[in-house]
Amino acid sequence: MTALGYNEGIVQSRFAAVLAANRFWLSPHTSEAPPAGWEAAILSNVDADSPVPVLVDGRGPVLPGDPVRPGTYGGVRITSFAPERVVLDLDVPAGRGAVLASTERYAPGWSAEIDGAPAEVLRVNRWFRGAAVSAGRHRVVFQYQPRGWWPLVALSAIALVLSVVGGGALMVRNARRQPPSSVA
């Protein structure tokens, strides 16, 4: 990723240990995200053995409490993982909800379902995605399908067909132009 502050402030900081060790975790605490650019400064001093703040943009819930170390609150199990589709089984402790946080890239083309119902994909810690979940057992599915995907696939298919037809037409034309070879 080449987002401003990501490589300099996150990948080359103590937070790199979190990136390497934790794909998804539950957090019972979230805070409102600071102005753009401050996330890198906040996260750069956090490592895999520290509580990790979960900073949500204006659409995410703000949950009071203290940050937790990834993997120490509730349970998250990856049941299926592919670049465009991730399936997770969660066990959120009783009493209150949490935010499923991740170190997986956020992009507008991601959608989420919780127990088969559409859910909002949250932007957490500026660069990553997550979702708000209630207490209990849940299945969360993240699916990536950017807007305009199918029109681009159709356009690509049309271009491929036109290329094959055009190439075939050129081959036929060139075959007709060549004089017959004489055998002596």
Side-chain angles (χ1 to χ4, degrees):
M1 249 189 312
T2 58
L4 185 61
Y6 182 78
N7 288 333
E8 306 81 12
I10 296 298
V11 173
Q12 298 173 6
S13 73
R14 293 175 61 199
F15 194 75
V18 176
L19 293 172
N22 304 283
R23 279 225 155 131
F24 299 93
W25 73 93
L26 291 168
S27 178
H29 166 74
T30 62
S31 299
E32 180 76 29
W38 283 97
E39 294 92 341
I42 293 167
L43 296 174
S44 65
N45 292 317
V46 175
D47 63 26
D49 295 324
S50 305
V52 176
V54 174
L55 310 168
V56 293
D57 68 9
R59 300 172 299 145
V62 174
L63 305 172
D66 295 320
V68 297
R69 204 174 95 232
T72 61
Y73 182 79
V76 177
R77 186 171 66 90
I78 300 171
T79 59
S80 174
F81 188 88
E84 293 88 18
R85 182 178 166 81
V86 180
V87 180
L88 305 153
D89 286 334
L90 309 180
D91 188 7
V92 183
R96 60 187 246 181
V99 166
L100 171 64
S102 77
T103 57
E104 293 284 313
R105 184 178 180 269
Y106 172 88
W110 282 101
S111 63
E113 286 183 357
I114 299 175
D115 300 328
E120 186 171 10
V121 176
L122 303 176
R123 180 178 231 146
V124 299
N125 294 343
R126 185 175 184 195
W127 298 281
F128 310 113
R129 69 178 179 271
V133 291
S134 61
R137 293 182 183 268
H138 302 286
R139 172 155 285 186
V140 176
V141 178
F142 285 109
Q143 181 85 28
Y144 184 67
Q145 189 170 14
R147 288 187 189 145
W149 172 254
W150 288 113
L152 289 174
V153 169
L155 186 61
S156 297
I158 291 167
L160 178 63
V161 168
L162 290 176
S163 296
V164 169
V165 169
L170 288 174
M171 287 174 49
V172 168
R173 186 183 79 171
N174 287 341
R176 288 184 184 164
R177 282 188 175 175
Q178 287 184 343
S181 60
S182 58
V183 178

